[in-house]
Amino acid sequence: MSEPTTHATSNLVYIFIDYSNVTHEGSRELNIANDSFNVDLNRLVITVRNGRELGRVFIAGSTPQTAPTPYKDELSWQRAKDLGFDVKTFQRNASNKEKGVDVYLACNMMEIILTKTPGILVLVTGDSDFSTPINKAKEKKWGVEIWSWPKGMAKDFKSLPHVSLKDHHKSFAYVTKAYSTKSKYALKIGGDIIKSWRWKNEPIMEYFFTRNLLCQFYWIDATTAHLYFDKKLQLKEASDWWLSKDHPNMFIEELGRDIKNDRMPRETQDKKFAEIVTELPQQTANEPLVDQLFNGGM
């Protein structure tokens, strides 16, 4: 991992994330359809924070002008807000181009640079539209890091300390897609206990991430999910792990590559975002990020 510039006098890390750039370039980098590719913002922050003391986190993204905002994005932003991050979204213009995202991040970068003791500025994007605040940060003796996907990294950033998101993507990215059972081994989990999980995806993501596997799963309904694996041994290990947990009345079933007599999930989501948000638990911004990484599913 590249080291930040060494002028910083504070250990605080200030993180600025261009959500649209991270998700779009990530799906392109990993060759995963954009509507199936997801980024867990809490885990992304933990990854780029890299054990250092956190100052603030700013996240900006965009929404369609005419079509509904994808519910996966709404949920991601809602959770980030509940974690105490500064989140701002902007409606795209009539040509479906982003407007305001870069300006919002750049303005907040300048404010932090000019009003805080020099620390470490972490910019998570490959977009080159941040040369002014980056140059100002270097002038004011801030440490600077760029985290981006290799294919989407601007040439101007290559002279700065930078880290490839691709090298760390298994710690924060996940795929929600109903795979063909001819291409993946599937593990079916379900039960009413899932309703009590603080964040429904967390126990699943925790299993994949701690084993350095790309997290791949799909919710068939509110309490039933398929988890996907590339190897039979991975399926067996996952089955044994879930069976070892004290989850009352949870059912675990190895489906292998041949799901018979089991309803395959559809690629569409019928549930409206407004209905999903009402089910989200409330989290306090004062809770440590690591404590919030996983709570209630183990």
Side-chain angles (χ1 to χ4, degrees), residues 47-282:
T47 300
V48 303
R49 176 188 174 189
N50 195 27
R52 298 168 293 189
E53 188 175 357
L54 187 64
R56 289 178 67 182
V57 178
F58 296 87
I59 301 169
S62 62
T63 61
Q65 186 177 78
T66 55
T69 300
Y71 87 100
K72 66 168 189 168
D73 295 338
E74 292 277 15
L75 286 174
S76 187
W77 296 329
Q78 179 67 43
R79 187 181 182 209
K81 290 177 182 178
D82 287 347
L83 289 169
F85 302 156
D86 293 271
V87 180
K88 182 73 173 178
T89 60
F90 299 86
Q91 190 177 74
R92 299 183 197 126
N93 62 23
S95 301
N96 202 37
K97 300 295 184 181
E98 282 195 339
K99 182 179 180 181
V101 171
D102 292 352
V103 173
Y104 170 80
L105 290 175
C107 288
N108 280 285
M109 289 169 67
M110 290 295 288
E111 181 180 358
I112 292 295
I113 291 165
L114 296 174
T115 61
K116 302 294 183 182
T117 301
I120 302 169
L121 187 150
V122 177
L123 180 60
V124 187
T125 182
D127 198 326
S128 63
D129 293 339
F130 298 95
S131 58
T132 297
I134 286 176
N135 289 334
K136 179 60 68 173
K138 293 165 65 178
E139 176 188 323
K140 295 293 185 180
K141 309 304 182 185
W142 280 72
V144 177
E145 290 177 19
I146 306 297
W147 290 65
S148 68
W149 299 100
K151 290 182 180 179
M153 185 175 185
K155 293 181 180 179
D156 295 346
F157 285 166
K158 293 184 178 180
S159 62
L160 297 169
H162 58 272
V163 183
S164 167
L165 289 174
K166 187 175 183 179
D167 292 343
H168 302 274
H169 74 275
K170 292 179 183 177
S171 67
F172 61 82
Y174 63 101
V175 180
T176 50
K177 174 183 177 180
Y179 283 96
S180 165
T181 55
K182 293 182 179 180
S183 63
K184 298 285 184 181
Y185 291 95
L187 180 69
K188 183 178 180 180
I189 66 170
D192 287 341
I193 184 65
I194 291 175
K195 294 178 181 179
S196 69
W197 289 355
R198 190 172 192 179
W199 289 95
K200 194 169 67 169
N201 293 342
E202 274 293 351
I204 296 174
M205 290 191 292
E206 180 74 3
Y207 178 80
F208 280 92
F209 293 159
T210 56
R211 284 151 182 81
N212 197 34
L213 298 173
L214 178 61
C215 184
Q216 304 171 89
F217 64 92
Y218 196 88
W219 287 102
I220 298 175
D221 55 40
T223 59
T224 308
H226 283 175
L227 284 57
Y228 298 105
F229 302 90
D230 296 321
K231 299 178 181 179
K232 189 173 183 179
L233 179 60
Q234 294 170 347
L235 170 67
K236 183 64 169 63
E237 290 176 346
S239 178
D240 291 344
W241 185 87
W242 284 96
L243 287 169
S244 72
K245 298 303 172 183
D246 185 19
H247 293 316
N249 301 317
M250 171 176 274
F251 62 83
I252 313 293
E253 182 181 357
E254 292 184 31
L255 301 173
R257 285 186 172 177
D258 184 19
I259 301 181
K260 296 180 179 179
N261 301 319
D262 190 58
R263 180 169 62 87
M264 285 300 297
R266 294 184 300 166
E267 289 287 353
T268 57
Q269 291 285 345
D270 296 328
K271 204 167 190 181
K272 295 180 179 179
F273 171 67
E275 297 172 350
I276 298 172
V277 168
T278 59
E279 300 173 0
L280 288 176
Q282 294 299 311

